[in-house]
Amino acid sequence: MISRIPGLLVFCLGLSCAGAGCAGVGVGVGDDASPLDGPPQAAPAGSGSSSSASASGPASGGSASGGSASTSAAVAAFADAVQGVWGNGLSAEALTRNALITNPRANPVMVSVPLATDSYADAGPYPVLQRQLRHEPTREVMGYLVACALEVGQSVSYTDTSTGEEFTFDGKIGICPAWAAGPVGVKCQQLVSACMLSLVNAMGRSITVSMRGQAFPEHRPGLLTPAPSVRVVTSTEDGDTIPSFRRCRIDSQGASRSCGWTAEHVGSCTPGSTVFIATGEAPLTDCADDAASAVGLPASDMVLRVCSGIRGCEAGSPDRIDSSEVRCGRRAEPALRFVCPSSAYFSLMSGPRTSGRAGLPAPAGSGAAALQTNRRFSVGSRPRPSPPPPPGAISVVEATFRAAVYPAAEADVFGWREGAFYGNLWGNEPLHPRLKTGMNEVKENGEFNPAPTPEEFSGQAIYRHAFACTGEYWTDHAAYVAERLCAGAEGEMDCVATSVGACGESYAVTSCPPLHQCSVDDGGLVDGDRDFQQCDGGGGTWPHPITVFLNHPSDVVRNSPFSPFAPLLPGGVLSGDAARCP
């Protein structure tokens, strides 16, 4: 519902998400809401569980990690409904040099056996898979493989019998949960391959991305389609949990504390506009802090913090916009007024006024203080002040103003189409012919025998049938390949996939790449989600790609010396001198 107040636009979204259910007005999050673990860690480790992966498990919910408090899940979701937003932290180096998928003897066996604990045990029934998980980068790859293929509630465990260390790899996305019970077919192989390629980050950071595609709608409706909301990211790009989302060890009070906070949702707004956000179903029309209102409020009363972008923040962080532990104009519920940041997105954090006390447990897996049941938020906004236009004219500020939305939909938060990933990491002769039997293999003495990278093969893809194409805004495709898909020093560079050009159209800034590598610009399963389909590579057409969307156009190559995207004006508008390739 959108209602108009003079000088103010108010947006109320009928959504209450606890698990996957949505109803009501505002946003409701109860104590049973899915936990928020953060982007992936490179190698999950901990005490773990020794049980095999089951053939089925819960379709949604929290972390299923079986490790100790230091154990990190391989991948964690940020979406409330069917997961679609993930952290891409799989290193290109691990995916190009591991003891399973790039092991010529192990690769074909993997898809012919269950993705389960027994299959990969040191004394398991498949000799070519024994001991291979002693290699740390291979465990990183296994973490992402299990996360892509299996769903929440399924897992694979491994015990290194030479050290006694135990590891658990948790299912998350659930593209092919049947792999836990037996061999998988070509469609599963291609979708899981696309998932893993999508989650590669050659720069060693964990960037939150939105993945869209067409998996198995008859079994998992909504999988790989944009969700109605996006949870605030709780980890840094290095994969470390932001301290404010950790449990408080002692009683800690107020909105400036660095523990005991809960990640709410991401909202959108017009940069420079004034935004009002509050608990309760009635939107604010104004907000003036009333310091006296904080006197006598209970320890369980809510405090709020707002950060720029899609990640949470610390009280002293430059990304912190504002926080509040008082009331606005004696309003009964907590509320906050702030100016919309230049990013056009804001992240809401909440928590009790006092966190860390006995009797206030954190929700499972979240590391944050206890949530208050059925919490709801409403948002209002007004354009930034500007001189009145001449009679009969329209104010530019008002004309470009968009009302703030909370929570913002995934398709809005992740609007930059990076490109598509597709192919098969397994199948018929999947590896570069320079990889010979015995290479990339853990020997009986526990040592890993890496495949060399002769200079004449530097920059080539390890996987013969893995491909990537770029969205319309990329301008330097050679740089894209090096920064996104490859790892290693100059002259010894291995790549996870072959870049074939632009998926569809492209803007011409430096040179034009091959165009229209995908014949379908928007797959038909969900109209308007802009997922590429039917993409070419290696002389064939691949029917099961995954399209990746970014929150910011330079997320995946932020520190690069080149400009990988077409020139943009502030606010993400394409500059007037950017022409399309013919």
Side-chain angles (χ1 to χ4, degrees), residues 232-236 240-248 254-262 304-308 311-323 347 349 367:
V232 171
V233 181
T234 62
S235 296
T236 67
D240 299 324
T241 300
I242 296 170
S244 286
F245 294 112
R246 295 174 180 158
R247 185 193 300 272
C248 294
S256 62
R257 68 173 184 269
S258 293
C259 62
W261 287 87
T262 293
L304 303 175
R305 181 185 295 171
V306 175
C307 313
S308 175
R311 295 181 186 272
C313 62
E314 293 294 278
S317 167
D319 290 329
R320 173 188 167 276
I321 300 174
D322 205 349
S323 58
S347 293
M349 302 164 56

Side-chain angles (χ1 to χ4, degrees), residues 270-318:
T270 301
S273 64
T274 300
V275 181
F276 310 94
I277 192 161
T279 56
E281 299 181 7
L284 280 172
T285 58
D286 204 348
C287 181
D289 287 350
D290 179 9
S293 66
V295 178
L297 289 175
S300 61
D301 186 69
M302 186 187 301
V303 293
L304 303 175
R305 181 185 295 171
V306 175
C307 313
S308 175
I310 64 174
R311 295 181 186 272
C313 62
E314 293 294 278
S317 167

Side-chain angles (χ1 to χ4, degrees), residues 342-513:
S342 60
S343 67
Y345 298 98
F346 63 90
S347 293
L348 181 63
M349 302 164 56
S350 70
R353 182 174 301 277
T354 299
S355 184
R357 300 184 302 111
L360 285 180
S366 73
L371 292 170
Q372 297 176 357
T373 303
N374 296 325
R375 190 163 60 241
R376 297 174 185 273
F377 293 92
S378 58
V379 66
S381 58
R382 61 161 57 103
R384 70 176 185 270
S386 62
I394 299 175
S395 166
V396 174
V397 171
E398 290 231 9
T400 58
F401 171 71
R402 287 196 314 160
V405 177
Y406 182 88
E410 180 182 331
D412 178 28
V413 177
F414 296 88
W416 290 98
R417 188 161 58 172
E418 180 199 354
F421 299 85
Y422 50 95
N424 196 341
L425 303 183
W426 297 277
N428 182 36
E429 298 182 353
L431 302 176
H432 194 289
R434 70 178 174 84
L435 297 184
K436 307 300 183 184
T437 300
M439 292 182 178
N440 291 338
E441 190 170 300
V442 176
K443 302 301 183 182
E444 291 186 11
N445 61 5
E447 294 184 0
F448 178 69
N449 180 35
T453 305
E455 188 170 354
E456 63 266 29
F457 295 123
S458 178
Q460 296 184 15
I462 287 291
Y463 301 99
R464 298 178 62 204
H465 310 306
F467 306 96
C469 60
T470 54
E472 53 269 46
Y473 299 108
W474 284 95
T475 62
D476 191 332
H477 290 263
Y480 169 79
V481 171
E483 296 291 334
R484 182 71 159 97
L485 303 176
C486 303
E490 186 175 353
E492 299 179 347
M493 184 178 292
D494 289 326
C495 301
V496 299
T498 300
S499 179
V500 296
C503 303
E505 296 184 344
S506 178
Y507 286 94
V509 177
T510 55
S511 62
C512 287

